[in-house]
mmCIF file of all heavy atoms in Angstrom:
data_model
loop_
_atom_site.group_PDB
_atom_site.id
_atom_site.type_symbol
_atom_site.label_atom_id
_atom_site.label_comp_id
_atom_site.label_asym_id
_atom_site.label_seq_id
_atom_site.Cartn_x
_atom_site.Cartn_y
_atom_site.Cartn_z
ATOM 1 N N ASN A 993 0.960 2.318 4.507
ATOM 2 C CA ASN A 993 1.168 3.366 3.582
ATOM 3 C C ASN A 993 1.716 3.045 2.198
ATOM 4 O O ASN A 993 1.268 3.611 1.207
ATOM 5 C CB ASN A 993 2.212 4.391 4.254
ATOM 6 C CG ASN A 993 1.615 5.264 5.404
ATOM 7 O OD1 ASN A 993 0.346 5.281 5.455
ATOM 8 N ND2 ASN A 993 2.450 5.599 6.343
ATOM 9 N N TRP A 994 2.640 2.007 2.145
ATOM 10 C CA TRP A 994 3.160 1.682 0.776
ATOM 11 C C TRP A 994 2.094 1.090 -0.089
ATOM 12 O O TRP A 994 2.203 1.333 -1.327
ATOM 13 C CB TRP A 994 4.357 0.797 0.928
ATOM 14 C CG TRP A 994 4.120 -0.537 1.524
ATOM 15 C CD1 TRP A 994 4.150 -0.895 2.826
ATOM 16 C CD2 TRP A 994 3.775 -1.740 0.815
ATOM 17 N NE1 TRP A 994 3.817 -2.192 3.052
ATOM 18 C CE2 TRP A 994 3.679 -2.705 1.787
ATOM 19 C CE3 TRP A 994 3.731 -2.060 -0.506
ATOM 20 C CZ2 TRP A 994 3.361 -4.037 1.428
ATOM 21 C CZ3 TRP A 994 3.394 -3.409 -0.863
ATOM 22 C CH2 TRP A 994 3.295 -4.343 0.159
ATOM 23 N N VAL A 995 1.146 0.356 0.479
ATOM 24 C CA VAL A 995 0.044 -0.177 -0.384
ATOM 25 C C VAL A 995 -0.851 0.970 -0.853
ATOM 26 O O VAL A 995 -1.332 1.037 -1.998
ATOM 27 C CB VAL A 995 -0.718 -1.267 0.408
ATOM 28 C CG1 VAL A 995 -1.906 -1.731 -0.449
ATOM 29 C CG2 VAL A 995 0.235 -2.464 0.705
ATOM 30 N N ASN A 996 -1.198 1.877 0.154
ATOM 31 C CA ASN A 996 -2.089 2.932 -0.165
ATOM 32 C C ASN A 996 -1.486 3.833 -1.216
ATOM 33 O O ASN A 996 -2.175 4.340 -2.128
ATOM 34 C CB ASN A 996 -2.449 3.712 1.096
ATOM 35 C CG ASN A 996 -3.456 4.804 0.869
ATOM 36 O OD1 ASN A 996 -4.424 4.565 0.191
ATOM 37 N ND2 ASN A 996 -3.256 5.987 1.490
ATOM 38 N N ARG A 997 -0.198 4.130 -1.158
ATOM 39 C CA ARG A 997 0.479 5.052 -2.060
ATOM 40 C C ARG A 997 0.437 4.401 -3.476
ATOM 41 O O ARG A 997 0.169 5.155 -4.477
ATOM 42 C CB ARG A 997 1.925 5.320 -1.669
ATOM 43 C CG ARG A 997 2.063 6.257 -0.498
ATOM 44 C CD ARG A 997 3.513 6.744 -0.400
ATOM 45 N NE ARG A 997 4.411 5.669 -0.178
ATOM 46 C CZ ARG A 997 4.823 5.222 1.001
ATOM 47 N NH1 ARG A 997 4.346 5.827 2.154
ATOM 48 N NH2 ARG A 997 5.668 4.292 1.155
ATOM 49 N N ASN A 998 0.569 3.113 -3.594
ATOM 50 C CA ASN A 998 0.485 2.448 -4.887
ATOM 51 C C ASN A 998 -0.858 2.608 -5.581
ATOM 52 O O ASN A 998 -0.979 2.941 -6.664
ATOM 53 C CB ASN A 998 0.780 0.899 -4.755
ATOM 54 C CG ASN A 998 0.856 0.227 -6.134
ATOM 55 O OD1 ASN A 998 1.898 0.236 -6.776
ATOM 56 N ND2 ASN A 998 -0.209 -0.339 -6.466
ATOM 57 N N SER A 999 -1.866 2.468 -4.781
ATOM 58 C CA SER A 999 -3.282 2.673 -5.324
ATOM 59 C C SER A 999 -3.471 4.081 -5.781
ATOM 60 O O SER A 999 -4.102 4.399 -6.798
ATOM 61 C CB SER A 999 -4.359 2.260 -4.292
ATOM 62 O OG SER A 999 -4.250 0.911 -3.976
ATOM 63 N N ASP A 1000 -2.973 4.972 -4.949
ATOM 64 C CA ASP A 1000 -3.072 6.455 -5.292
ATOM 65 C C ASP A 1000 -2.456 6.823 -6.640
ATOM 66 O O ASP A 1000 -2.881 7.720 -7.297
ATOM 67 C CB ASP A 1000 -2.596 7.296 -4.119
ATOM 68 C CG ASP A 1000 -2.922 8.742 -4.341
ATOM 69 O OD1 ASP A 1000 -4.096 9.059 -4.383
ATOM 70 O OD2 ASP A 1000 -1.942 9.558 -4.233
ATOM 71 N N LYS A 1001 -1.422 6.085 -6.948
ATOM 72 C CA LYS A 1001 -0.631 6.378 -8.229
ATOM 73 C C LYS A 1001 -1.459 6.106 -9.457
ATOM 74 O O LYS A 1001 -1.046 6.542 -10.493
ATOM 75 C CB LYS A 1001 0.688 5.620 -8.194
ATOM 76 C CG LYS A 1001 1.693 6.087 -7.189
ATOM 77 C CD LYS A 1001 2.968 5.269 -7.212
ATOM 78 C CE LYS A 1001 3.898 5.740 -6.168
ATOM 79 N NZ LYS A 1001 5.078 4.926 -6.209
ATOM 80 N N MET A 1002 -2.493 5.280 -9.324
ATOM 81 C CA MET A 1002 -3.310 4.998 -10.515
ATOM 82 C C MET A 1002 -4.359 6.074 -10.874
ATOM 83 O O MET A 1002 -4.951 6.003 -11.895
ATOM 84 C CB MET A 1002 -3.969 3.608 -10.333
ATOM 85 C CG MET A 1002 -3.151 2.405 -10.365
ATOM 86 S SD MET A 1002 -3.941 0.791 -10.575
ATOM 87 C CE MET A 1002 -4.504 0.958 -12.280
ATOM 88 N N VAL A 1003 -4.569 6.912 -9.822
ATOM 89 C CA VAL A 1003 -5.589 7.973 -10.122
ATOM 90 C C VAL A 1003 -4.942 8.956 -11.145
ATOM 91 O O VAL A 1003 -3.854 9.355 -10.992
ATOM 92 C CB VAL A 1003 -5.858 8.770 -8.821
ATOM 93 C CG1 VAL A 1003 -6.708 9.973 -9.009
ATOM 94 C CG2 VAL A 1003 -6.399 7.887 -7.703
ATOM 95 N N GLY A 1004 -5.825 9.202 -12.143
ATOM 96 C CA GLY A 1004 -5.360 10.082 -13.248
ATOM 97 C C GLY A 1004 -4.828 9.266 -14.469
ATOM 98 O O GLY A 1004 -4.461 9.834 -15.559
ATOM 99 N N ALA A 1005 -4.826 7.945 -14.394
ATOM 100 C CA ALA A 1005 -4.430 7.108 -15.515
ATOM 101 C C ALA A 1005 -5.371 7.255 -16.687
ATOM 102 O O ALA A 1005 -6.590 7.382 -16.456
ATOM 103 C CB ALA A 1005 -4.432 5.606 -15.107
ATOM 104 N N LYS A 1006 -4.821 7.426 -17.882
ATOM 105 C CA LYS A 1006 -5.692 7.624 -19.130
ATOM 106 C C LYS A 1006 -5.961 6.279 -19.815
ATOM 107 O O LYS A 1006 -5.100 5.437 -19.936
ATOM 108 C CB LYS A 1006 -4.939 8.547 -20.060
ATOM 109 C CG LYS A 1006 -4.420 9.956 -19.452
ATOM 110 C CD LYS A 1006 -5.618 10.833 -19.148
ATOM 111 C CE LYS A 1006 -5.114 12.157 -18.646
ATOM 112 N NZ LYS A 1006 -6.272 13.051 -18.245
ATOM 113 N N ILE A 1007 -7.236 6.197 -20.212
ATOM 114 C CA ILE A 1007 -7.582 4.930 -21.061
ATOM 115 C C ILE A 1007 -7.650 5.390 -22.584
ATOM 116 O O ILE A 1007 -8.359 6.382 -22.838
ATOM 117 C CB ILE A 1007 -9.013 4.482 -20.652
ATOM 118 C CG1 ILE A 1007 -9.077 4.405 -19.091
ATOM 119 C CG2 ILE A 1007 -9.325 3.194 -21.301
ATOM 120 C CD1 ILE A 1007 -8.126 3.436 -18.471
ATOM 121 N N GLU A 1008 -6.872 4.792 -23.330
ATOM 122 C CA GLU A 1008 -6.743 5.074 -24.779
ATOM 123 C C GLU A 1008 -7.089 3.818 -25.640
ATOM 124 O O GLU A 1008 -6.874 2.688 -25.138
ATOM 125 C CB GLU A 1008 -5.383 5.618 -25.115
ATOM 126 C CG GLU A 1008 -5.045 7.013 -24.589
ATOM 127 C CD GLU A 1008 -3.746 7.607 -25.069
ATOM 128 O OE1 GLU A 1008 -3.057 6.864 -25.761
ATOM 129 O OE2 GLU A 1008 -3.542 8.813 -24.817
ATOM 130 N N ALA A 1009 -7.599 4.173 -26.808
ATOM 131 C CA ALA A 1009 -7.886 3.012 -27.698
ATOM 132 C C ALA A 1009 -7.330 3.372 -29.190
ATOM 133 O O ALA A 1009 -7.104 4.607 -29.489
ATOM 134 C CB ALA A 1009 -9.358 2.858 -27.868
ATOM 135 N N SER A 1010 -7.067 2.373 -29.923
ATOM 136 C CA SER A 1010 -6.440 2.597 -31.227
ATOM 137 C C SER A 1010 -6.701 1.380 -32.138
ATOM 138 O O SER A 1010 -6.953 0.240 -31.622
ATOM 139 C CB SER A 1010 -4.958 2.801 -31.135
ATOM 140 O OG SER A 1010 -4.352 3.040 -32.372
ATOM 141 N N HIS A 1011 -6.558 1.604 -33.436
ATOM 142 C CA HIS A 1011 -6.606 0.494 -34.422
ATOM 143 C C HIS A 1011 -5.259 -0.118 -34.643
ATOM 144 O O HIS A 1011 -5.174 -1.149 -35.354
ATOM 145 C CB HIS A 1011 -7.214 0.959 -35.732
ATOM 146 C CG HIS A 1011 -8.609 1.450 -35.584
ATOM 147 N ND1 HIS A 1011 -9.695 0.613 -35.237
ATOM 148 C CD2 HIS A 1011 -9.191 2.698 -35.819
ATOM 149 C CE1 HIS A 1011 -10.845 1.289 -35.206
ATOM 150 N NE2 HIS A 1011 -10.542 2.519 -35.481
ATOM 151 N N LEU A 1012 -4.175 0.534 -34.147
ATOM 152 C CA LEU A 1012 -2.830 0.058 -34.334
ATOM 153 C C LEU A 1012 -2.069 -0.150 -33.002
ATOM 154 O O LEU A 1012 -2.327 0.553 -32.031
ATOM 155 C CB LEU A 1012 -2.075 1.112 -35.163
ATOM 156 C CG LEU A 1012 -2.633 1.443 -36.540
ATOM 157 C CD1 LEU A 1012 -1.938 2.654 -37.198
ATOM 158 C CD2 LEU A 1012 -2.559 0.147 -37.459
ATOM 159 N N PRO A 1013 -1.220 -1.166 -32.932
ATOM 160 C CA PRO A 1013 -0.495 -1.444 -31.751
ATOM 161 C C PRO A 1013 0.468 -0.384 -31.304
ATOM 162 O O PRO A 1013 0.817 -0.246 -30.118
ATOM 163 C CB PRO A 1013 0.254 -2.796 -32.087
ATOM 164 C CG PRO A 1013 0.393 -2.702 -33.554
ATOM 165 C CD PRO A 1013 -0.828 -2.066 -34.005
ATOM 166 N N SER A 1014 0.819 0.562 -32.206
ATOM 167 C CA SER A 1014 1.698 1.656 -31.838
ATOM 168 C C SER A 1014 0.915 2.762 -31.174
ATOM 169 O O SER A 1014 1.526 3.665 -30.562
ATOM 170 C CB SER A 1014 2.318 2.245 -33.144
ATOM 171 O OG SER A 1014 1.340 2.795 -33.968
ATOM 172 N N PHE A 1015 -0.416 2.679 -31.214
ATOM 173 C CA PHE A 1015 -1.232 3.735 -30.614
ATOM 174 C C PHE A 1015 -1.001 5.070 -31.267
ATOM 175 O O PHE A 1015 -1.164 6.165 -30.721
ATOM 176 C CB PHE A 1015 -1.196 3.786 -29.081
ATOM 177 C CG PHE A 1015 -1.897 2.672 -28.478
ATOM 178 C CD1 PHE A 1015 -1.105 1.479 -28.171
ATOM 179 C CD2 PHE A 1015 -3.152 2.785 -28.095
ATOM 180 C CE1 PHE A 1015 -1.761 0.339 -27.545
ATOM 181 C CE2 PHE A 1015 -3.865 1.747 -27.537
ATOM 182 C CZ PHE A 1015 -3.102 0.500 -27.188
ATOM 183 N N ILE A 1016 -0.645 5.004 -32.538
ATOM 184 C CA ILE A 1016 -0.505 6.275 -33.371
ATOM 185 C C ILE A 1016 -1.332 6.071 -34.626
ATOM 186 O O ILE A 1016 -0.960 5.315 -35.527
ATOM 187 C CB ILE A 1016 0.944 6.524 -33.786
ATOM 188 C CG1 ILE A 1016 1.821 6.683 -32.494
ATOM 189 C CG2 ILE A 1016 1.073 7.845 -34.561
ATOM 190 C CD1 ILE A 1016 3.245 6.799 -32.823
ATOM 191 N N PRO A 1017 -2.497 6.741 -34.760
ATOM 192 C CA PRO A 1017 -3.040 7.632 -33.706
ATOM 193 C C PRO A 1017 -3.864 6.856 -32.614
ATOM 194 O O PRO A 1017 -4.056 5.565 -32.856
ATOM 195 C CB PRO A 1017 -3.972 8.480 -34.596
ATOM 196 C CG PRO A 1017 -4.459 7.552 -35.681
ATOM 197 C CD PRO A 1017 -3.315 6.696 -35.971
ATOM 198 N N SER A 1018 -4.292 7.586 -31.586
ATOM 199 C CA SER A 1018 -5.113 6.973 -30.650
ATOM 200 C C SER A 1018 -6.189 7.984 -30.227
ATOM 201 O O SER A 1018 -6.025 9.129 -30.487
ATOM 202 C CB SER A 1018 -4.316 6.515 -29.383
ATOM 203 O OG SER A 1018 -3.651 7.710 -28.824
ATOM 204 N N VAL A 1019 -7.147 7.443 -29.471
ATOM 205 C CA VAL A 1019 -8.195 8.379 -28.959
ATOM 206 C C VAL A 1019 -8.331 8.099 -27.394
ATOM 207 O O VAL A 1019 -8.203 6.994 -26.907
ATOM 208 C CB VAL A 1019 -9.548 7.979 -29.635
ATOM 209 C CG1 VAL A 1019 -10.028 6.539 -29.423
ATOM 210 C CG2 VAL A 1019 -10.635 8.946 -29.112
ATOM 211 N N GLU A 1020 -8.353 9.232 -26.672
ATOM 212 C CA GLU A 1020 -8.488 9.118 -25.260
ATOM 213 C C GLU A 1020 -10.005 8.933 -24.925
ATOM 214 O O GLU A 1020 -10.870 9.787 -25.307
ATOM 215 C CB GLU A 1020 -7.937 10.338 -24.555
ATOM 216 C CG GLU A 1020 -8.006 10.299 -23.040
ATOM 217 C CD GLU A 1020 -7.484 11.589 -22.368
ATOM 218 O OE1 GLU A 1020 -6.326 11.944 -22.832
ATOM 219 O OE2 GLU A 1020 -8.050 12.054 -21.459
ATOM 220 N N VAL A 1021 -10.336 7.862 -24.145
ATOM 221 C CA VAL A 1021 -11.765 7.593 -23.982
ATOM 222 C C VAL A 1021 -12.237 7.884 -22.589
ATOM 223 O O VAL A 1021 -13.395 8.088 -22.260
ATOM 224 C CB VAL A 1021 -12.154 6.238 -24.403
ATOM 225 C CG1 VAL A 1021 -11.931 5.983 -25.882
ATOM 226 C CG2 VAL A 1021 -11.316 5.142 -23.573
ATOM 227 N N SER A 1022 -11.269 7.841 -21.594
ATOM 228 C CA SER A 1022 -11.647 7.987 -20.127
ATOM 229 C C SER A 1022 -10.388 8.257 -19.372
ATOM 230 O O SER A 1022 -9.239 8.136 -19.740
ATOM 231 C CB SER A 1022 -12.415 6.817 -19.701
ATOM 232 O OG SER A 1022 -13.007 6.953 -18.409
ATOM 233 N N THR A 1023 -10.646 8.554 -18.005
ATOM 234 C CA THR A 1023 -9.635 8.774 -17.022
ATOM 235 C C THR A 1023 -10.015 8.169 -15.726
ATOM 236 O O THR A 1023 -11.151 8.279 -15.250
ATOM 237 C CB THR A 1023 -9.334 10.287 -16.783
ATOM 238 O OG1 THR A 1023 -8.994 10.927 -18.008
ATOM 239 C CG2 THR A 1023 -8.186 10.469 -15.796
ATOM 240 N N LEU A 1024 -9.050 7.408 -15.149
ATOM 241 C CA LEU A 1024 -9.408 6.806 -13.746
ATOM 242 C C LEU A 1024 -9.324 7.893 -12.786
ATOM 243 O O LEU A 1024 -8.277 8.633 -12.572
ATOM 244 C CB LEU A 1024 -8.276 5.743 -13.365
ATOM 245 C CG LEU A 1024 -8.254 4.499 -14.236
ATOM 246 C CD1 LEU A 1024 -7.207 3.574 -13.670
ATOM 247 C CD2 LEU A 1024 -9.652 3.743 -14.245
ATOM 248 N N SER A 1025 -10.473 8.119 -12.101
ATOM 249 C CA SER A 1025 -10.537 9.275 -11.111
ATOM 250 C C SER A 1025 -10.687 8.791 -9.701
ATOM 251 O O SER A 1025 -10.577 9.561 -8.799
ATOM 252 C CB SER A 1025 -11.729 10.220 -11.494
ATOM 253 O OG SER A 1025 -12.940 9.440 -11.521
ATOM 254 N N GLU A 1026 -10.846 7.516 -9.537
ATOM 255 C CA GLU A 1026 -11.114 6.938 -8.184
ATOM 256 C C GLU A 1026 -9.889 6.246 -7.616
ATOM 257 O O GLU A 1026 -9.068 5.659 -8.414
ATOM 258 C CB GLU A 1026 -12.321 5.921 -8.136
ATOM 259 C CG GLU A 1026 -12.142 4.774 -9.037
ATOM 260 C CD GLU A 1026 -12.522 4.943 -10.535
ATOM 261 O OE1 GLU A 1026 -12.807 6.120 -10.969
ATOM 262 O OE2 GLU A 1026 -12.520 3.911 -11.284
ATOM 263 N N ASN A 1027 -9.742 6.247 -6.310
ATOM 264 C CA ASN A 1027 -8.711 5.467 -5.615
ATOM 265 C C ASN A 1027 -9.288 4.186 -5.164
ATOM 266 O O ASN A 1027 -10.308 4.159 -4.446
ATOM 267 C CB ASN A 1027 -8.231 6.284 -4.512
ATOM 268 C CG ASN A 1027 -6.873 5.640 -3.818
ATOM 269 O OD1 ASN A 1027 -6.735 4.484 -3.815
ATOM 270 N ND2 ASN A 1027 -6.018 6.465 -3.332
ATOM 271 N N ALA A 1028 -8.749 3.096 -5.640
ATOM 272 C CA ALA A 1028 -9.287 1.707 -5.301
ATOM 273 C C ALA A 1028 -8.956 1.336 -3.882
ATOM 274 O O ALA A 1028 -9.476 0.350 -3.382
ATOM 275 C CB ALA A 1028 -8.802 0.768 -6.324
ATOM 276 N N TYR A 1029 -7.948 2.023 -3.264
ATOM 277 C CA TYR A 1029 -7.478 1.667 -1.961
ATOM 278 C C TYR A 1029 -7.227 0.150 -1.775
ATOM 279 O O TYR A 1029 -7.676 -0.551 -0.916
ATOM 280 C CB TYR A 1029 -8.572 2.038 -0.893
ATOM 281 C CG TYR A 1029 -8.708 3.521 -0.752
ATOM 282 C CD1 TYR A 1029 -9.834 4.176 -1.271
ATOM 283 C CD2 TYR A 1029 -7.751 4.308 -0.246
ATOM 284 C CE1 TYR A 1029 -9.941 5.557 -1.265
ATOM 285 C CE2 TYR A 1029 -7.812 5.722 -0.167
ATOM 286 C CZ TYR A 1029 -8.961 6.326 -0.708
ATOM 287 O OH TYR A 1029 -9.151 7.637 -0.606
ATOM 288 N N SER A 1030 -6.425 -0.387 -2.725
ATOM 289 C CA SER A 1030 -5.916 -1.729 -2.732
ATOM 290 C C SER A 1030 -7.043 -2.814 -2.841
ATOM 291 O O SER A 1030 -6.860 -3.949 -2.595
ATOM 292 C CB SER A 1030 -5.011 -2.071 -1.499
ATOM 293 O OG SER A 1030 -5.824 -2.436 -0.386
ATOM 294 N N ASN A 1031 -8.285 -2.384 -3.339
ATOM 295 C CA ASN A 1031 -9.302 -3.296 -3.468
ATOM 296 C C ASN A 1031 -9.724 -3.409 -4.937
ATOM 297 O O ASN A 1031 -9.324 -2.536 -5.684
ATOM 298 C CB ASN A 1031 -10.506 -2.870 -2.628
ATOM 299 C CG ASN A 1031 -11.355 -4.036 -2.165
ATOM 300 O OD1 ASN A 1031 -11.318 -5.150 -2.756
ATOM 301 N ND2 ASN A 1031 -12.167 -3.852 -1.179
ATOM 302 N N TYR A 1032 -10.514 -4.365 -5.366
ATOM 303 C CA TYR A 1032 -10.985 -4.425 -6.688
ATOM 304 C C TYR A 1032 -11.856 -3.227 -6.963
ATOM 305 O O TYR A 1032 -12.657 -2.718 -6.124
ATOM 306 C CB TYR A 1032 -11.928 -5.653 -6.845
ATOM 307 C CG TYR A 1032 -11.158 -6.992 -7.077
ATOM 308 C CD1 TYR A 1032 -11.057 -7.877 -6.023
ATOM 309 C CD2 TYR A 1032 -10.544 -7.195 -8.280
ATOM 310 C CE1 TYR A 1032 -10.346 -9.086 -6.291
ATOM 311 C CE2 TYR A 1032 -9.811 -8.448 -8.543
ATOM 312 C CZ TYR A 1032 -9.719 -9.342 -7.574
ATOM 313 O OH TYR A 1032 -9.056 -10.510 -7.729
ATOM 314 N N ALA A 1033 -11.761 -2.755 -8.177
ATOM 315 C CA ALA A 1033 -12.583 -1.501 -8.651
ATOM 316 C C ALA A 1033 -12.957 -1.774 -10.104
ATOM 317 O O ALA A 1033 -12.441 -2.460 -10.823
ATOM 318 C CB ALA A 1033 -11.577 -0.287 -8.532
ATOM 319 N N ASP A 1034 -14.202 -1.150 -10.430
ATOM 320 C CA ASP A 1034 -14.707 -1.145 -11.679
ATOM 321 C C ASP A 1034 -14.631 0.310 -12.271
ATOM 322 O O ASP A 1034 -15.149 1.277 -11.632
ATOM 323 C CB ASP A 1034 -16.111 -1.639 -11.641
ATOM 324 C CG ASP A 1034 -16.138 -3.186 -11.508
ATOM 325 O OD1 ASP A 1034 -15.616 -3.888 -12.385
ATOM 326 O OD2 ASP A 1034 -16.791 -3.692 -10.589
ATOM 327 N N HIS A 1035 -14.159 0.416 -13.442
ATOM 328 C CA HIS A 1035 -14.200 1.737 -14.117
ATOM 329 C C HIS A 1035 -15.022 1.569 -15.350
ATOM 330 O O HIS A 1035 -14.772 0.785 -16.247
ATOM 331 C CB HIS A 1035 -12.722 2.199 -14.517
ATOM 332 C CG HIS A 1035 -12.691 3.558 -15.219
ATOM 333 N ND1 HIS A 1035 -12.834 4.705 -14.482
ATOM 334 C CD2 HIS A 1035 -12.642 3.913 -16.499
ATOM 335 C CE1 HIS A 1035 -12.863 5.746 -15.336
ATOM 336 N NE2 HIS A 1035 -12.706 5.301 -16.517
ATOM 337 N N PHE A 1036 -16.107 2.383 -15.414
ATOM 338 C CA PHE A 1036 -17.036 2.239 -16.495
ATOM 339 C C PHE A 1036 -16.748 3.204 -17.626
ATOM 340 O O PHE A 1036 -16.364 4.444 -17.302
ATOM 341 C CB PHE A 1036 -18.531 2.443 -16.039
ATOM 342 C CG PHE A 1036 -18.916 1.350 -15.082
ATOM 343 C CD1 PHE A 1036 -18.756 1.526 -13.646
ATOM 344 C CD2 PHE A 1036 -19.549 0.172 -15.528
ATOM 345 C CE1 PHE A 1036 -19.116 0.414 -12.787
ATOM 346 C CE2 PHE A 1036 -19.901 -0.827 -14.676
ATOM 347 C CZ PHE A 1036 -19.692 -0.749 -13.284
ATOM 348 N N ILE A 1037 -16.990 2.853 -18.842
ATOM 349 C CA ILE A 1037 -16.563 3.651 -20.014
ATOM 350 C C ILE A 1037 -17.768 3.719 -20.945
ATOM 351 O O ILE A 1037 -18.505 2.781 -21.197
ATOM 352 C CB ILE A 1037 -15.428 2.941 -20.776
ATOM 353 C CG1 ILE A 1037 -14.116 2.916 -19.973
ATOM 354 C CG2 ILE A 1037 -15.120 3.671 -22.070
ATOM 355 C CD1 ILE A 1037 -13.040 2.145 -20.640
ATOM 356 N N SER A 1038 -18.147 4.952 -21.264
ATOM 357 C CA SER A 1038 -19.264 5.154 -22.243
ATOM 358 C C SER A 1038 -18.642 5.633 -23.611
ATOM 359 O O SER A 1038 -18.668 6.850 -23.856
ATOM 360 C CB SER A 1038 -20.193 6.226 -21.662
ATOM 361 O OG SER A 1038 -19.572 7.390 -21.325
#
């Protein structure tokens, strides 16, 4: 359970990009919607 719960916590993570290290301003480009279930996962961005 503790491993599965950790993977589940990444669901909903936001992917942002910026020209500055402060991320002000930034643009949201994607959201992690899948649960990797403690395995390798690929998240594709368009």
Side-chain angles (χ1 to χ4, degrees):
N993 287 335
W994 63 271
V995 174
N996 186 41
R997 285 196 299 269
N998 184 84
S999 295
D1000 189 54
K1001 289 176 183 178
M1002 290 194 69
V1003 177
K1006 305 294 184 182
I1007 313 299
E1008 291 186 350
S1010 180
H1011 296 297
L1012 299 172
S1014 63
F1015 285 89
I1016 301 174
S1018 64
V1019 58
E1020 183 179 317
V1021 299
S1022 189
T1023 302
L1024 294 182
S1025 58
E1026 61 274 8
N1027 188 327
Y1029 294 106
S1030 83
N1031 211 341
Y1032 280 106
D1034 286 300
H1035 181 76
F1036 294 91
I1037 296 173
S1038 56

